[in-house]
């Protein structure tokens, strides 16, 4: 934190008149109405007593290297899943409207030069660091430097990869009287038209035994790519609408009403869900209703232009839990959510960042690395 610099002000040396009882002026001492002669500079008197030398400032303090001077610190989203997942070990950071990348410990990897938050295109891919006017030579040089440090390179260009899960209403032989796990499908696309495939053991193991799904028909065909339709809303027994819900690997469904977007559980106790009103809540894996209130705003990924597909800077999704915790936001106030739905750091901070290993909290002088509070 910059400290105010204290200046030492030299006082001008002035003649002091001594006064005493019965004192009378003589011919060499000016009276109160007389003006004393101006001092003359000389080797013995190098400066006039009315001149004030320039103040000499104290040396400026050195910024604390453990305090990060960024405007924002956010999770890095992994491009390709819907909703996106968040990366462990890294943050995307902003300064003066530009974005860069740091390791979780604060080490800078990419300077704040990009127009949008840094993302990763697939877990085994490259950093999406979109810097206007960057030459191929500079990009190649930076990628080589990152590779020498054991890091991913910079993405030379990426397409519209996608992965999401749905319940195929047109699956051959689907049991129409029950929830049939044999009708669960994944839509997978890397760069171009995708495919509808059965959910593999690898997918279950990677994304968790409760997957966010929605009911959909197959569209396309007759020589064209096949893809899932928009969600087909259903109805619970109590008459409440179900759009997105969770399918269990064991063959049952978690039918939470009024969920517009469902995030991933992985192996955590809660998952983020966006409710009808647009706010986010966190759902427990053993509850049909959210554990928290629907009061949270998005914290990660970015809103993309519907026409161009280009990213903006406004966050789109709430973060899923990572090692039991997630940074949450209510407007401009940030906090940290624990595994039982309690805010272990209340939403009162200027910024909170957590990616599964390292906690950063924004104070008046910058971002400080903090200790993870006890949950519950």
């Amino acid at each position: 934190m910059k400290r105010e610099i204290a200046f030492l002000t030299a006082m001008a040396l002035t003649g002091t008149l001594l006064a005493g009882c019965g004192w009378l002026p003589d011919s060499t001492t000016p009276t109160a109405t007389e003006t004393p002669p101006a001092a003359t500079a000389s080797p013995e008197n190098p400066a006039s007593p009315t001149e004030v030398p320039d103040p000499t400032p104290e040396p400026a303090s050195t910024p604390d290297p453990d305090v990060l001077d960024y405007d924002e610190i956010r999770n890095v989203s992994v491009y390709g899943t819907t909703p996106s997942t968040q990366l462990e070990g890294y943050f995307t950071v902003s300064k003066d409207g530009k974005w860069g990348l740091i390791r979780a410990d604060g080490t800078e990897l990419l300077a704040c030069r990009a127009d949008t938050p840094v993302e990763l295109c697939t877990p085994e891919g490259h950093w999406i660091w979109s810097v206007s006017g960057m030459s191929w030579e500079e990009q190649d040089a930076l990628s080589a430097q990152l590779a020498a440090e054991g890091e991913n390179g910079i993405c030379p260009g990426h397409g519209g990869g996608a992965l999401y899960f749905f319940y195929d209403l047109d699956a051959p032989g689907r049991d129409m009287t029950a929830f049939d796990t044999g009708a669960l499908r994944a839509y997978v696309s890397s760069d171009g038209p995708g495919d509808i495939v059965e959910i593999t053991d690898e997918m279950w193991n990677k994304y968790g035994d409760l997957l966010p799904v929605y009911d959909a028909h197959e569209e396309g065909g007759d020589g064209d790519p096949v893809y899932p339709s928009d969600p087909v809303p259903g109805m619970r027994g109590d008459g409440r609408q179900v759009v997105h819900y969770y399918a269990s690997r064991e063959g049952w469904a978690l039918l939470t009403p009024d969920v517009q977007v469902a995030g991933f559980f992985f192996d955590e106790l809660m998952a983020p869900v966006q409710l009808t009103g647009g706010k986010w809540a966190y759902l427990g894996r053993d509850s049909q209703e959210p554990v928290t209130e629907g009061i949270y705003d998005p914290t990660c990924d970015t809103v993309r232009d519907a026409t161009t597909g280009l990213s903006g800077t406004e966050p789109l999704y709430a973060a899923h839990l990572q090692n039991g915790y997630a940074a949450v936001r209510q407007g401009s106030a940030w906090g940290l959510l624990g595994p039982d739905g309690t805010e272990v750091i209340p939403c009162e901070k200027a910024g909170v960042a957590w990616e599964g290993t390292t906690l950063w909290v924004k104070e008046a002088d910058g971002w400080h690395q903090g200790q993870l509070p006890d949950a519950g």
Side-chain angles (χ1 to χ4, degrees):
M1 181 181 78
K2 295 183 178 179
R3 292 194 290 260
E4 295 182 356
I5 301 175
F7 292 97
L8 301 177
T9 305
M11 303 296 295
L13 299 177
T14 58
T16 303
L17 300 179
L18 300 177
C21 293
W23 175 79
L24 295 175
D26 60 25
S27 60
T28 60
T29 305
T31 65
T33 58
E34 294 178 328
T35 302
T40 302
S42 66
E44 294 77 19
N45 183 25
S48 167
T50 59
E51 294 178 354
V52 179
D54 293 335
T56 302
E58 292 181 351
S61 60
T62 302
D64 188 339
D66 295 326
V67 179
L68 303 184
D69 184 26
Y70 295 113
D71 298 328
E72 293 185 65
I73 298 181
R74 288 190 199 171
N75 291 96
V76 173
S77 292
V78 181
Y79 187 77
T81 61
T82 304
S84 64
T85 61
Q86 286 78 62
L87 191 64
E88 184 176 300
Y90 302 85
F91 292 109
T92 183
V93 294
S94 73
K95 184 68 177 176
D96 299 328
K98 296 294 183 179
W99 293 84
L101 179 74
I102 63 173
R103 294 192 184 102
D105 65 3
T107 305
E108 185 174 277
L109 291 177
L110 294 171
C112 291
R113 294 174 53 194
D115 296 326
T116 57
V118 179
E119 297 176 307
L120 188 70
C121 59
T122 77
E124 299 79 23
H126 301 84
W127 301 117
I128 303 173
W129 184 59
S130 303
V131 176
S132 300
M134 183 171 60
S135 68
W136 289 108
E137 290 77 10
E138 182 183 3
Q139 178 174 292
D140 290 343
L142 285 171
S143 291
Q145 180 181 332
L146 290 168
E149 298 176 13
E151 300 286 351
N152 294 311
I154 301 170
C155 189
H158 58 90
L163 170 64
Y164 44 93
F165 304 101
F166 69 102
Y167 188 79
D168 191 350
L169 298 174
D170 301 322
R174 179 172 72 89
D175 186 349
M176 306 291 287
T177 65
F179 181 74
D180 186 355
T181 55
L184 291 172
R185 297 289 187 268
Y187 178 74
V188 181
S189 171
S190 57
D191 188 5
D195 296 309
I196 293 176
V197 301
E198 293 187 7
I199 299 177
T200 64
D201 288 340
E202 181 182 3
M203 292 176 184
W204 284 111
N205 294 336
K206 181 174 182 178
Y207 293 100
D209 57 0
L210 276 175
L211 292 178
V213 300
Y214 60 90
D215 292 349
H217 290 287
E218 293 184 13
E219 295 189 349
D222 295 331
D224 294 327
V226 179
Y227 55 91
S229 69
D230 290 336
V232 177
M235 212 63 91
R236 296 198 331 175
D238 59 4
R240 298 172 71 184
Q241 188 183 69
V242 174
V243 182
H244 289 259
Y245 59 97
Y246 289 90
S248 164
R249 192 173 189 174
E250 286 74 31
W252 50 271
L254 192 60
L255 303 176
T256 302
D258 304 322
V259 172
Q260 304 304 300
V261 179
F264 291 96
F265 272 100
F266 293 102
D267 60 352
E268 304 286 349
L269 297 178
M270 298 189 303
V273 292
Q274 187 181 36
L275 303 179
T276 304
K279 294 291 187 177
W280 289 79
Y282 283 80
L283 179 71
R285 62 171 51 242
D286 57 354
S287 172
Q288 296 284 353
E289 301 289 340
V291 175
T292 73
E293 296 181 77
I295 56 177
Y296 297 114
D297 295 304
T299 61
C300 54
D301 208 326
T302 58
V303 176
R304 291 173 174 79
D305 185 277
T307 302
T308 65
L310 297 177
S311 296
T313 59
E314 288 298 312
L316 179 60
Y317 302 120
H320 57 76
L321 268 65
Q322 293 176 275
N323 290 329
Y325 299 84
V328 290
R329 177 174 71 93
Q330 296 184 50
S332 60
W334 290 73
L336 186 70
L337 200 68
D340 63 352
T342 301
E343 291 181 7
V344 294
I345 297 179
C347 283
E348 299 172 351
K349 296 293 184 180
V352 172
W354 168 258
E355 45 57 75
T357 68
T358 308
L359 176 68
W360 289 93
V361 178
K362 190 175 185 182
E363 305 292 355
D365 61 338
W367 292 84
H368 293 252
Q369 189 169 330
Q371 295 294 321
L372 196 66
D374 294 330

